[in-house]
Amino acid sequence: MPDEPKTLDPAAPPAGTTARPVATTAATAPSAAPATAGDSPAPGPARGRLLGLVAVGLVLAALNLRPAITSLGALLEEVSEDLHMSGSVAGVLTSVPPLCFAVFGITAPRLARRFGPAAVVCAGMAAIFTGLVLRPFATGTAAFLAASALALMGIAVSNVLMPVIVKRYFPDRVGSMTGLYSMALALGTSVAAAATVPMTDALGGDWRLGLGVWAALAALAVLAWLPLLRDRGTDAALPASATPEAAPRTGGTAPRTGAAAPRTGETAPQAPAPRITRSRTAWALGVFFGLQATGAYITMGWMPQIFRDAGVPAATAGVLLAVTMVMGVPLAFVIPRLATRMKNQGPIVVALGLCGLTGYTGLFLAPSGGAWVWAVLLGISNCSFPLALTMIGMRSRTGAGVVRLSAFAQSVGYLISIPGPLLVGVLYQHSGGWGLPIALMGGLMVPQMIVGTLAGRDRTVEDEC
């Protein structure tokens, strides 16, 4: 499976085959070749349409992976006052996203194997839509948390399956496609942060309408994934290029593909799935993912409040959060492409970590005076997320390995990140200021750089399991 693009070379089947086997190979080629769109100079029209639909679905799904969180961050003060939340309870609310991601994200591989990744992502978008529609009708903290958890459950399974979808449909373009959906994710995050307060004001100042309007974006994503439900494939854990039907037929008659067939075809579980828990790289990736997620969710949940407490108007605080998030739009495309061209991604990890450390230092010393600079630096630092997703795709040689590594790294990572936003809320309430919480945020950048450097080494989990 490491050589999927070569295994199903569209030009290979005719070579060295007799007339009858050639007919068999030709019949199977259309179903095999499309998975290597980058290898085939002229993929079939049907395959081209499928890949186009997948690309549109990826973008729309990514746009929906953060508005449920950042729209709440922009209105956290209004929601807390209306639902009578203390600082500690608000901290619990900002910890719900990583908790849901950890609990529900680990179920994504099993669901994908049973129903197909496209069906699971479509269901995830439907859960986001339902949660965002119900949340404005909550009259108490418990109901609000339940509706938020439903939306976050959909985000969780979709989060895990994004790298799997990329590996399955675009095995030779992991970096560029990861960059594409990471850009869309950053765009959705920043637009929700910047637009929620102005939209709320335009809708009469009711925070319920300001939060509920984002359900429309989720509805578009559901519609985009519906046509993909039929493309379940044969195994959600395998890239499309490794369909069991294609490889054995070409492998049995064509010398050029026969050499690779044992890796991809004749026995579907040709190589045992790696035992991720034995891999030091997998653990390093999980911890790195967790620390960067801690910073990201503290930023999304609390950064507008930090600026508002420093005297920045509410609308401007929302725009500052948007600036932080929008930095990921260009960088989320550049960083994955750069990472895939480097054997060791450690230098990128360190560079991003230093930006974060500088940003938190500035936020500690002069939160309002240099607000725009700190927002930009923290936005650059938050691009550790697309870097982590790219490393997940690079640290395994097989589709099955990517599924397991993605679920493991994200589930472990989100478990690690759960206490962060909650602890910030507790420290803020009991210390009466932002000094201790910001010091905590900055201090976490040091271990993030260390484990990120370990995760960025040139090796795969299969080498360690």
Side-chain angles (χ1 to χ4, degrees), residues 377-396:
L377 287 172
L378 291 174
I380 296 173
S381 176
N382 280 348
C383 288
S384 296
F385 175 71
L387 175 61
L389 293 180
T390 305
M391 289 197 290
I392 287 173
M394 297 177 68
R395 296 286 90 89
S396 177

Side-chain angles (χ1 to χ4, degrees), residues 63-436:
L63 286 171
N64 279 279
L65 294 181
R66 295 297 179 270
I69 303 168
T70 53
S71 62
L72 176 59
L75 295 173
L76 184 59
E77 183 173 319
E78 288 77 7
V79 174
S80 299
E81 289 178 357
D82 197 16
L83 298 180
H84 309 292
M85 296 181 189
S86 66
S88 297
V89 173
V92 171
L93 182 60
T94 57
S95 293
V96 169
L99 174 61
C100 289
F101 294 168
V103 171
F104 297 112
I106 201 168
T107 66
R110 179 173 295 181
L111 293 172
R113 284 194 298 271
R114 181 169 182 179
F115 301 106
V120 177
V121 172
C122 186
M125 295 298 109
I128 296 171
F129 169 76
T130 305
L132 293 181
V133 166
L134 293 177
R135 192 159 66 171
F137 295 99
T139 56
T141 301
F144 189 87
L145 286 171
S148 297
L150 178 59
L152 294 166
M153 177 179 65
I155 295 173
V157 294
S158 302
N159 260 338
V160 171
L161 292 179
M162 290 293 101
V164 178
I165 294 285
V166 169
K167 185 77 170 182
R168 176 189 173 110
Y169 292 97
F170 306 97
D172 55 339
R173 286 177 279 172
V174 170
S176 59
M177 293 307 296
T178 299
L180 177 64
Y181 82 74
S182 297
M183 273 178 34
L185 188 151
L187 183 61
T189 305
S190 57
V191 169
T196 297
V197 171
M199 281 197 306
T200 301
D201 293 340
L203 293 170
D206 188 348
W207 64 263
R208 299 175 186 276
L209 294 176
L211 295 183
V213 72
W214 297 105
L217 185 60
L220 290 177
V222 173
L223 294 176
W225 281 92
L226 284 176
L228 297 169
L229 295 181
R230 292 172 295 177
D231 188 55
R232 288 184 54 181
T234 55
D235 186 340
L238 296 176
S241 57
T243 53
E245 290 90 346
R249 294 184 189 178
T250 57
T253 59
R256 286 177 65 185
T257 57
R263 299 184 199 174
T264 59
E266 297 188 354
T267 56
Q270 75 288 359
R275 294 188 178 182
I276 296 296
T277 54
R278 295 183 178 180
S279 168
R280 292 186 297 274
T281 297
W283 281 106
L285 255 177
V287 176
F288 174 64
F289 198 99
L291 291 174
Q292 68 81 27
T294 299
Y297 287 105
I298 290 174
T299 299
M300 286 187 281
W302 288 109
M303 191 168 137
Q305 193 63 47
I306 294 174
F307 285 125
R308 291 177 72 168
D309 287 350
V312 177
T316 304
V319 173
L320 284 166
L321 177 59
V323 168
T324 298
M325 299 297 119
V326 83
M327 293 304 300
V329 175
L331 293 179
F333 188 74
V334 172
I335 288 175
R337 292 174 67 87
L338 178 62
T340 55
R341 295 175 183 176
M342 299 173 64
K343 288 187 175 181
N344 189 324
Q345 291 76 43
I348 305 178
V349 171
V350 173
L352 296 178
L354 290 176
C355 286
L357 195 56
T358 304
Y360 285 126
T361 302
L363 204 57
F364 182 90
L365 297 175
S368 58
W372 298 99
V373 177
W374 317 142
V376 169
L377 287 172
L378 291 174
I380 296 173
S381 176
N382 280 348
C383 288
S384 296
F385 175 71
L387 175 61
L389 293 180
T390 305
M391 289 197 290
I392 287 173
M394 297 177 68
R395 296 286 90 89
S396 177
R397 292 195 297 265
T398 68
V402 171
V403 172
R404 289 175 176 266
L405 182 57
S406 179
F408 176 82
Q410 294 199 46
S411 295
V412 168
Y414 286 126
L415 279 173
I416 291 172
S417 69
I418 290 170
L422 174 60
L423 184 57
V424 166
V426 172
L427 289 176
Y428 171 57
Q429 180 178 359
H430 291 283
S431 69
W434 287 106
L436 283 177

